Amino acid sequence: MKTFPPMALCLLLSFGACLQAQTDSVLRVVNRLRAPGGACAAKASSLVPQAALDAAASRLAQRAALEAALQSAGYRASQAQVITVSGPGLRAGLEALLAKRFCAQVGKKELSDIGVFETRNQLWIVLAEPFSPRMDLTRQQVAERMLVLVNQARAVPRRCGDKAFAAAPALAWDATLEKVAAQHASDMATNDYFSHTGHDGSTPAQRVARAGYRWRMTGENIAAGQLSPEAAVEGWIKSPGHCENLMNGGYTEMGVAAAVNSASKMGLYWVQEFGTPR
């Protein structure tokens, strides 16, 4: 019986069937490494083959950048890892090679999907976590956690860019400011934008006043893409302007809210309203 090398065999099959055959074989190897008792000691769930990631791997083989490859394949990822291996006899030593050099990527528990593309002596493996932003905390849990994190940050002196700030008094939670934050977060998520200017053209101060909060001072922080209160606060601390708001000792109250829309560009939006009543 005549035998064919992998790429020659692909020419005899439909392209889709060839990609499926490649993925199935590599999938078994990678999932053995991830499984309890596997060489990567990951105890991770089995990966699921995705045709879109096969297509992305094919684009990588054509020297496309990862982001462009995923976009052209129609796959939106929260994170993705690429493993490229090459050399003769690739399949025979694949499991040992992945176990020796790529367990950090293979064993990431957050990754759930896989795509593969193979030429005669080179293999591209794409591992990914699909973009699926979600908020696992209730409104009350968000409020409680945010108040703790923000007041912890204010409790110590810090620099915000080139400005030094002393420790600031703790803030109190205000339900009206929370309502304003929730409305703006929802507006950004629903209308897929990221700005202090509302979809109706409103400013933060106008939205706070419109809600009936009579303010002497007010300010706003926004963030997008962070999946936890911790990540949102960390981002604000690292951004000089947001950090200045957070450390401003003139504020006495705050409210924070988040909104999710997986169809939007950033997925999850955070708004923090500061205020000092008259």
Side-chain angles (χ1 to χ4, degrees), residues 150 153-154 221 233 236-237 242-248 274:
V150 170
R154 285 168 64 90
N221 281 347
V233 172
W236 287 330
I237 290 173
H242 295 92
C243 178
E244 289 179 26
N245 265 345
L246 192 145
M247 293 300 297
N248 190 327
F274 298 95

Side-chain angles (χ1 to χ4, degrees), residues 5 60 63 72 113 133 143 147 161 170-171 185 208 210 216 233 238 246 253 260 277-278:
L60 291 173
R63 300 183 183 278
S72 68
D113 295 343
L147 192 60
L171 297 171
V208 168
R210 195 163 59 196
R216 181 168 59 83
V233 172
K238 290 180 179 179
L246 192 145
E253 299 177 333
V260 180
R278 294 180 187 175

Side-chain angles (χ1 to χ4, degrees), residues 108-228:
K108 289 197 74 171
K109 294 183 179 181
E110 304 91 337
L111 304 176
S112 60
D113 295 343
I114 184 171
V116 177
F117 183 77
E118 183 179 5
T119 62
R120 186 168 185 174
N121 292 313
Q122 194 160 8
L123 179 66
W124 288 262
I125 304 172
V126 181
L127 310 174
E129 176 189 10
F131 182 77
S132 55
R134 63 186 183 274
M135 174 51 64
D136 295 328
L137 303 177
T138 65
R139 180 203 63 77
Q140 184 62 32
Q141 288 172 326
V142 168
E144 291 172 356
R145 186 62 182 147
M146 274 294 190
L147 192 60
V148 169
L149 291 169
V150 170
N151 283 334
Q152 284 178 344
R154 285 168 64 90
V156 296
R158 69 180 65 250
R159 295 193 67 85
C160 300
D162 59 358
K163 296 182 181 179
F165 284 80
L171 297 171
W173 192 264
D174 182 80
T176 301
L177 293 177
E178 179 191 3
K179 178 182 177 182
V180 175
Q183 289 173 340
H184 189 50
S186 179
D187 189 40
M188 288 193 292
T190 301
N191 294 293
D192 196 11
Y193 74 96
F194 182 65
S195 173
H196 290 288
T197 302
H199 192 245
D200 61 356
S202 61
T203 66
Q206 287 171 338
R207 291 191 292 272
V208 168
R210 195 163 59 196
Y213 186 95
R214 294 174 58 82
W215 53 270
R216 181 168 59 83
M217 290 178 60
T218 188
E220 180 181 86
N221 281 347
I222 58 176
Q226 296 86 352
L227 300 181
S228 68

